[in-house]
Amino acid sequence: MHYGLQILLATTFLPLLLRLGRLSLRDSRLEYIPVILFLFFLAILNKLKEAKMQPDCCGEPFGLALICIGLVGKLLCQNLDILSGEILSFGIVLSGTIITLYGLQVWKGTIWPLLLLCFALPIPHVWELYLGVPLRALATKAATLLLRIAGLATTAKGCAIILPNDTQVFVNEACSGLNSLTAIGAISVYLGNYTSLWSRKLELLFVAIVSALIANIFRLFSLTLFVHLCGTAILDSILHPLVGLLTFLFALTGLLAFNWGLNEN
């Protein structure tokens, strides 16, 4: 039965990962999902590598029931083309498999890595409305303030920065920072998998959120400054995504440095 469950898990996970890979190539909003699932897979393996298969009489029936529920949910969501439901169903199947093979105690140790699946869910449009718009407004106002400190007389109007020559730099949905926030948040959860202290896990998550917000503000600040110096054509050049990559690496470096500091202490 153990090998049968492992094969079942692989046949559930691999088609989902391949589908997500194809979707991420067509939709930039989903490009981070396969990477998060890969981190999720590594985190789960780290928790299970030293665990022994010790199923308990209470957990095994419950685990098998979860596997059945997850498989039914996956089939339904696959037929209805509900990607978020498929990912959550995979989490249910995996939880049921761990409970069946290792018992409830080992499964409790995988709860934090299982949170990575939440970051792998595609961002709903309603989130982009209620979170994306405030984040865009925050980045606009903060970047405008930095530009003024740098000596550039700019004004913020909604989600747009107006330069002295009346050129407007619009902060669209892709510049809200939600994707970076999701990716950095997922990495912080992955790093938190290697500490048993919940306070440190939450500290890493908090620092990840702050780092992502600051990085997005500096990205908008840098792009607006380049627009002022070189014109709006710069937004259609390779410099646009390059600035985004560099600021993301800045946020990631800050998170990794904080994690290193925690480990040193």
Side-chain angles (χ1 to χ4, degrees):
M1 183 181 72
H2 293 168
Y3 289 112
L5 288 176
Q6 292 170 2
I7 293 172
L8 175 64
L9 188 62
T11 55
T12 305
F13 177 72
L14 291 178
L16 177 61
L17 186 60
L18 291 173
R19 184 186 174 204
L20 287 169
R22 290 194 300 269
L23 288 174
S24 65
L25 293 175
R26 297 199 299 265
D27 190 343
S28 60
R29 295 178 304 168
L30 304 177
E31 61 188 4
Y32 59 88
I33 294 180
V35 178
I36 292 176
L37 285 178
F38 178 71
L39 291 177
F40 165 74
F41 181 66
L42 290 180
I44 291 294
L45 281 182
N46 179 68
K47 286 295 183 182
L48 297 181
K49 66 181 180 181
E50 296 180 355
K52 296 181 180 180
M53 291 189 181
Q54 295 178 341
D56 52 75
C57 58
C58 297
E60 192 166 340
F62 178 61
L64 291 173
L66 280 181
I67 292 173
C68 294
I69 293 171
L71 288 175
V72 172
K74 183 182 183 301
L75 290 174
L76 288 174
C77 293
Q78 188 172 347
N79 290 331
L80 296 173
D81 197 25
I82 304 174
L83 185 57
S84 298
E86 286 189 63
I87 296 174
L88 289 176
S89 296
F90 167 70
I92 295 173
V93 172
L94 178 61
S95 294
T97 303
I98 293 173
I99 292 172
T100 303
L101 296 181
Y102 296 94
L104 284 168
Q105 284 301 117
V106 173
W107 173 78
K108 290 178 181 178
T110 65
I111 291 177
W112 184 258
L114 283 168
L115 289 177
L116 273 171
L117 280 182
C118 297
F119 289 93
L121 299 177
I123 300 173
H125 289 292
V126 67
W127 283 26
E128 292 182 354
L129 177 63
Y130 290 107
L131 288 179
V133 173
L135 287 175
R136 288 159 59 194
L138 172 65
T140 302
K141 292 178 180 178
T144 301
L145 178 61
L146 289 177
L147 289 165
R148 288 178 179 173
I149 294 174
L152 192 60
T154 56
T155 55
K157 186 178 180 181
C159 292
I161 298 176
I162 304 175
L163 294 171
N165 59 358
D166 290 332
T167 300
Q168 295 189 25
V169 179
F170 290 97
V171 185
N172 57 27
E173 291 182 2
C175 297
S176 65
L178 269 179
N179 279 359
S180 297
L181 193 60
T182 304
I184 291 291
I187 293 171
S188 73
V189 172
Y190 174 74
L191 293 174
N193 185 56
Y194 294 92
T195 177
S196 59
L197 298 175
W198 279 84
S199 59
R200 289 194 173 186
K201 296 177 190 287
L202 296 176
E203 285 173 4
L204 282 168
L205 186 58
F206 175 76
V207 170
I209 293 172
V210 173
S211 299
L213 292 176
I214 293 175
N216 194 49
I217 291 169
F218 273 98
R219 182 174 75 92
L220 184 55
F221 165 78
S222 303
L223 286 173
T224 306
L225 193 59
F226 281 127
V227 169
H228 175 69
L229 297 173
C230 307
T232 55
I234 202 75
L235 296 176
D236 297 321
S237 69
I238 193 174
L239 190 62
H240 192 172
L242 182 60
V243 170
L245 176 62
L246 290 175
T247 50
F248 177 81
L249 291 176
F250 166 77
L252 180 59
T253 302
L255 176 63
L256 293 177
F258 181 78
N259 181 61
W260 176 80
L262 286 179
N263 292 333
E264 286 296 309
N265 294 329

